[in-house]
Amino acid sequence: MAKKKCVAQYKDESSMLRNRRGQINSGEQSPVSTHHESTQENTEDDRLSEGDSQSLNGTSAQHDQGIYSPKNEAQSTAFFLLVVFLAFSTRLYKIMEPPHVCWDETHFGKMGSYYINRTFFFDVHPPLGKMLIGLAGYMTGYDGTYPFLKPGDKYEHHNYWGMRGFCASLGSCLPPFAYLTVLELSQSSTAALITAAVLAFDTGCITISQYILLDPILMFFIMGAVLSMVKFNRQRYRPFSAPWWFWLVLTGVNLSGALGVKFVGLFVILLVGMNTAWDLWSLLGDLHLSLMDFGKHLLSRVFGLILLPLFLYVTIFAVHFVVLNKSGPGDGFFSSAFQSRLIGNNLHNASMPEYLAYGSIITVKNLRIAGGYLHSHWHLYPEGVGAKQQQVTAYLHKDYNNMWLVHRSNDSDEEPDLVRHGDIIRLEHKETTRNLHSHLHEAPLTKKHFQVTGYGINGTGDPNDLWQVEVCGGRKGDLVKVLRSKVRFLHRATGCVLYSSGKTLPKWGWEQVEITCSPYLKETPNSQWNIEDHINTKLPNISLSVLKPHFLEILLESHIVMIRGNSGLKPKDNEMSSKPWHWPINYQGLRFSGVNETEYRVYLLGNPVIWWLNLVSLGLYVVMVAVASLALRRGVQLDKRRIGRKHCRVLMEGGGLLLLGWFLHYVPFYTMGRILYYHHYFPAMLFSSMLTGKVGLPQTHAPHNAPIILIALYICFSLCFSKPCSFYMFHPLSYGMRGPLAHDPDSTMAGLKWMDSWEF
């Protein structure tokens, strides 16, 4: 009796079944029965209860269906080993080819080199993936000296195989992870093998795993999180046991890994969160579970799925900041205080005059994160864009054209007098000798603002060159402190304030940031500036070491910079991009290497048979669940013996989890304003592939119904013909090809360009 109560405590059954068992445990006759419930179904429920009791005796819940009999367990192990062999052999084959930089290797290989050299850089993604790439290169003998300038550059004597091999190894884990996940969800080695075959023979998954990219690392952690979550769910009968804790903690570790590689790792965090919320809701509804025990479940999940991943995620950034301690190309994206901690930066352990003075040479940095330095150059605004005068922009990198001279409003001799709150000054661009100027012409992009230009020559100009210095929170006569004072520049003639809009100018503006004069005088970071570099030989210097920020400050700033940088990724002229609706139908791929007949060509494109099979499976799954749900509701006989309650639950709940995973990793891209690429779909493709395996589940129950026979035939066809044969036809896309293009009859891809949008 006590044993059955314990079963009811942790069994995630429907409320009807739970109430029935509670009544049975208390010795009462269950009144819950309907005219369409057969004796066979009750017998099946009894078998489930018996299986639950076995679980409490130390037998895993996955024994309920008996698939882990010695014969089936040996078969499952043999299938798994076959999947591992296929996955690693297809990913590691020709890993050294082509021996030149391909596609985004120019970015992520270079960033791996930065870690080896400890050089600070900026990227829109969190650091874990690049750190692991750099570590893999370092451990395999790469010295970090290759420049990774552009795709097509030869690697020559540089050791690159370790970084490629590391990414390929993680990509090789995807089919085995998918096999184990579907095996847990479906209890069918056939369904698991279908899933593994889909991923093992997909040319897209092979290609994206073979190069120095973040995608195989990201997908490794996503699949690791899903597998760990499913394994944890299977331990619900053994709460707080060692395996229960192991899979809970491993889920949290993988969640932190996914988010630590790319922010799209948030999608799998959302998936695990929704699954956990449903699990807790079910436990809360179990009247046999005390509130104290429920509190233990809640706190353990808070620890394993929130606190632990958060700690690991913050630790990733701590290591990132410790390793990258030298000045590099990413300095200008960050605040002056942030830069002061970087060895080699002009602000590191620097000394300079403490207060701004007339006659000083300065750089002026906008306080908006990634706002840039006040900048000018010889180029003029084009015809039709305000006055055709010299461009003034914000530039994110340190540059000689960021230098400005501070003058009085008149032409009197410059003495080392200090600039104060309320002073009227003139800023002269050091390189071009033109003054910072504004007038009533509209700004290039922000039409309600005024244009800012460089005007005059050798310091001569007009009254529109005068600006009033305002120290934020200051009073008249307050001094301007270098680096520490927040300063605004008010235009005397128009009353507007110097402003960095954050908008990127077109190519005529060298894709730098727009500078305007805003008539809206509210204090915002866009209109606030600080004096960064300060050169004046007539003034004494002070040390700036006191300005170094704390860890939490640089952690917050780095996230703001990454998020704004990510949202600012817009398609450039003639740049290849794609739309989310292109992805499931395999509308267009990506060139990884080569264009013409003489070059070694690699083209990222999913195996079309597999991708279209996945697309059909998505729709077919919805139909199957609808039919099964209606049949169970109405008591319709689908074959000579009923489809059991447990089988339908496996079909709907397990498959529903995968459908939700596909939805969460795909649909949000429709809302994104940033540039999108074909490879963004691959995490969602993992879930659709596993769902394809789930669609094969009914064939393990030997149905006699005609529609399900068609499903079985469809699955058999996909296993026996489509995947291996289509892989053989399209494998040159992954492993490289030379010679004639696809339209030529002599090409290795002749007759295989099934869509005009494919470019191979």
Side-chain angles (χ1 to χ4, degrees):
M1 184 73 66
K3 188 176 293 184
K4 289 189 176 181
K5 285 185 179 180
C6 194
V7 171
Q9 180 174 346
Y10 299 110
K11 184 68 177 174
D12 186 17
E13 292 289 332
S14 65
S15 58
M16 180 187 300
L17 186 56
R18 183 163 55 244
N19 291 337
R20 179 189 302 172
R21 288 180 180 170
Q23 293 167 341
I24 292 174
N25 290 338
S26 62
E28 298 178 17
Q29 176 98 19
S30 172
V32 183
S33 60
T34 60
H35 65 280
H36 57 77
E37 289 183 337
S38 66
T39 304
Q40 182 177 354
E41 184 173 341
N42 291 331
T43 303
E44 182 181 358
D45 288 343
D46 292 339
R47 289 198 302 270
L48 292 179
S49 297
E50 183 180 351
D52 296 339
S53 299
Q54 292 174 357
S55 296
L56 291 173
N57 289 325
T59 306
S60 173
Q62 55 195 352
H63 285 264
D64 289 349
Q65 286 183 318
I67 72 160
Y68 281 98
S69 63
K71 178 180 178 181
N72 288 338
E73 187 173 2
Q75 181 192 62
S76 179
T77 302
F79 282 173
F80 178 75
L81 294 176
L82 174 63
V83 168
V84 170
F85 171 77
L86 287 175
F88 278 85
S89 60
T90 53
R91 270 69 177 170
L92 296 176
Y93 177 64
K94 299 180 73 173
I95 193 66
M96 299 287 286
E97 296 183 21
H100 61 246
V101 178
C102 293
W103 195 49
D104 270 358
E105 284 188 327
T106 187
H107 298 302
F108 302 120
K110 182 186 299 181
M111 293 170 187
S113 298
Y114 284 145
Y115 278 103
I116 294 174
N117 297 316
R118 307 193 67 177
T119 303
F120 186 77
F121 66 94
F122 165 70
D123 185 42
V124 298
H125 305 300
L128 180 59
K130 285 93 66 178
M131 289 171 61
L132 293 176
I133 289 172
L135 179 63
Y138 179 78
M139 296 295 291
T140 53
Y142 172 59
D143 58 7
T145 58
Y146 186 72
F148 288 95
L149 294 178
K150 64 182 186 301
D153 288 350
K154 298 289 185 182
Y155 282 115
E156 297 176 344
H157 63 279
H158 293 276
N159 187 343
Y160 63 96
W161 68 267
M163 292 182 285
R164 279 193 182 174
F166 170 74
C167 293
S169 297
L170 295 190
S172 300
C173 294
L174 301 180
F177 282 6
Y179 177 89
L180 295 174
T181 300
V182 175
L183 186 62
E184 289 291 340
L185 289 175
S186 67
Q187 299 297 287
S188 167
S189 57
T190 305
L193 188 61
I194 293 172
T195 295
V198 166
L199 294 178
F201 292 121
D202 179 58
T203 51
C205 284
I206 293 172
T207 305
I208 208 167
S209 298
Q210 287 193 306
Y211 298 93
I212 307 171
L213 303 173
L214 297 184
D215 300 271
I217 307 174
L218 171 68
M219 292 190 290
F220 171 85
F221 284 115
I222 289 176
M223 285 300 301
V226 173
L227 174 59
S228 301
M229 175 187 67
V230 170
K231 287 281 191 180
F232 173 73
N233 289 343
R234 298 293 294 176
Q235 297 295 324
R236 64 167 58 95
Y237 311 111
R238 304 168 60 190
F240 310 112
S241 63
W244 188 91
W245 277 110
F246 173 79
W247 291 114
L248 175 64
V249 169
L250 192 58
T251 303
V253 170
N254 282 299
L255 291 179
S256 64
L259 185 60
V261 176
K262 282 188 176 184
F263 284 127
V264 295
L266 286 169
F267 299 151
V268 74
I269 291 177
L270 185 58
L271 176 66
V272 173
M274 295 174 72
N275 176 79
T276 303
W278 178 254
D279 187 27
L280 289 172
W281 181 254
S282 299
L283 289 173
L284 184 62
D286 190 345
L287 301 181
H288 298 277
L289 189 67
S290 69
L291 290 179
M292 181 66 70
D293 289 336
F294 176 78
K296 293 178 182 178
H297 278 276
L298 175 62
L299 292 177
S300 63
R301 286 162 173 79
V302 169
F303 167 76
L305 302 179
I306 298 178
L307 297 181
L308 177 63
L310 182 61
F311 170 77
L312 294 176
Y313 181 75
V314 172
T315 301
I316 291 168
F317 276 89
V319 175
H320 169 73
F321 293 135
V322 169
V323 173
L324 301 185
N325 63 352
K326 297 179 181 178
S327 178
D331 294 13
F333 290 89
F334 294 84
S335 68
S336 304
F338 187 103
Q339 296 178 41
S340 68
R341 52 176 291 278
L342 298 173
I343 299 172
N345 188 283
N346 62 312
L347 299 178
H348 180 72
N349 293 334
S351 60
M352 62 180 64
E354 183 177 8
Y355 298 105
L356 179 64
Y358 293 104
S360 297
I361 300 173
I362 64 173
T363 60
V364 185
K365 193 175 193 312
N366 187 252
L367 292 188
R368 175 186 179 272
I369 299 298
Y373 295 91
L374 188 65
H375 176 95
S376 189
H377 40 235
W378 289 103
H379 304 280
L380 306 181
Y381 286 101
E383 196 71 40
V385 181
K388 194 173 183 181
Q389 297 175 7
Q390 184 170 296
Q391 297 176 16
V392 173
T393 65
Y395 189 48
L396 295 177
H397 304 280
K398 292 182 177 292
D399 188 82
Y400 187 77
N401 280 327
N402 299 340
M403 297 288 187
W404 299 81
L405 285 164
V406 183
H407 295 293
R408 298 179 187 277
S409 58
N410 53 41
D411 295 328
S412 61
D413 293 337
E414 303 290 352
E415 296 293 334
D417 290 343
L418 301 179
V419 178
R420 300 176 183 273
H421 176 96
D423 282 5
I424 308 300
I425 68 169
R426 178 168 51 85
L427 291 176
E428 177 188 331
H429 189 241
K430 190 174 187 301
E431 172 67 14
T432 63
T433 71
R434 291 195 169 122
N435 297 326
L436 186 68
H437 177 96
S438 187
H439 43 224
L440 295 178
H441 294 273
E442 66 180 19
L445 303 178
T446 310
K447 299 302 183 181
K448 293 184 179 181
H449 291 193
F450 302 133
Q451 183 186 34
V452 176
T453 68
Y455 180 74
I457 189 70
N458 293 326
T460 61
D462 63 22
N464 282 335
D465 302 338
L466 302 182
W467 302 81
Q468 181 175 355
V469 177
E470 179 187 277
V471 179
C472 297
R475 295 176 295 180
K476 187 172 179 63
D478 285 353
L479 299 175
V480 178
K481 297 179 181 179
V482 173
L483 290 175
R484 288 174 287 181
S485 290
K486 297 179 181 180
V487 180
R488 301 207 307 166
F489 298 98
L490 300 174
H491 192 243
R492 290 289 292 171
T494 63
C496 58
V497 61
L498 190 66
Y499 189 92
S500 172
S501 71
K503 298 177 182 178
T504 302
L505 293 169
K507 282 194 172 181
W508 57 256
W510 302 94
E511 297 177 347
Q512 296 174 9
V513 178
E514 179 193 39
I515 290 293
T516 70
C517 198
S518 171
Y520 308 104
L521 301 184
K522 181 180 178 181
E523 288 188 6
T524 66
N526 299 67
S527 64
Q528 294 174 333
W529 307 77
N530 73 298
I531 310 303
E532 184 170 289
D533 296 289
H534 185 208
I535 303 171
N536 194 319
T537 58
K538 298 179 181 180
L539 296 175
N541 294 334
I542 65 164
S543 174
L544 302 179
S545 59
V546 296
L547 298 177
K548 291 182 180 178
H550 300 296
F551 171 71
L552 292 180
E553 292 176 314
I554 62 178
L555 180 67
L556 176 61
E557 180 176 345
S558 64
H559 277 78
I560 295 174
V561 172
M562 285 188 295
I563 292 170
R564 288 182 175 173
N566 223 320
S567 61
L569 293 175
K570 306 297 182 183
K572 301 176 182 177
D573 294 342
N574 300 320
E575 185 176 9
M576 182 63 65
S577 62
S578 63
K579 300 181 184 301
W581 68 266
H582 291 173
W583 305 339
I585 63 174
N586 219 22
Y587 180 77
Q588 190 176 44
L590 271 173
R591 286 197 185 101
F592 265 40
S593 173
V595 177
N596 57 48
E597 297 182 1
T598 61
E599 295 177 321
Y600 190 97
R601 303 188 303 280
V602 176
Y603 190 70
L604 176 66
L605 183 73
N607 184 325
V609 174
I610 287 176
W611 282 53
W612 296 337
L613 187 69
N614 285 349
L615 188 60
V616 171
S617 297
L618 286 169
L620 192 58
Y621 172 78
V622 174
V623 173
M624 290 171 60
V625 168
V627 169
S629 300
L630 289 173
L632 283 178
R633 192 68 176 168
R634 299 299 301 169
V636 176
Q637 293 275 350
L638 293 183
D639 53 23
K640 291 183 179 178
R641 60 181 184 83
R642 281 172 170 249
I643 291 183
R645 183 189 303 274
K646 186 155 189 174
H647 163 55
C648 287
R649 187 176 68 250
V650 167
L651 175 68
M652 289 183 282
E653 293 181 2
L657 183 69
L658 299 177
L659 184 64
L660 178 62
W662 173 84
F663 181 89
L664 292 176
H665 285 80
Y666 174 56
V667 174
F669 286 102
Y670 282 94
T671 66
M672 295 184 184
R674 58 153 290 173
I675 186 171
L676 299 174
Y677 298 103
Y678 172 66
H679 70 99
H680 288 142
Y681 182 68
F682 277 83
M685 183 265 182
L686 296 175
F687 290 93
S688 65
S689 298
M690 289 189 284
L691 196 59
T692 297
K694 286 286 292 181
V695 169
L697 179 63
Q699 67 174 333
T700 64
H701 293 264
H704 303 285
N705 182 271
I708 304 183
I709 290 177
L710 293 178
I711 295 173
L713 293 175
Y714 150 79
I715 295 298
C716 290
F717 171 80
S718 67
L719 267 176
C720 301
F721 174 75
S722 63
K723 295 180 181 67
C725 291
S726 60
F727 169 72
Y728 176 77
M729 292 188 295
F730 287 95
H731 79 274
L733 297 178
S734 298
Y735 299 128
M737 48 194 169
R738 295 184 187 271
L741 302 179
H743 63 268
D744 193 310
D746 296 328
S747 171
T748 55
M749 302 301 295
L752 295 178
K753 189 177 179 182
W754 297 345
M755 298 182 71
D756 293 336
S757 52
W758 296 349
E759 301 169 313
F760 55 79

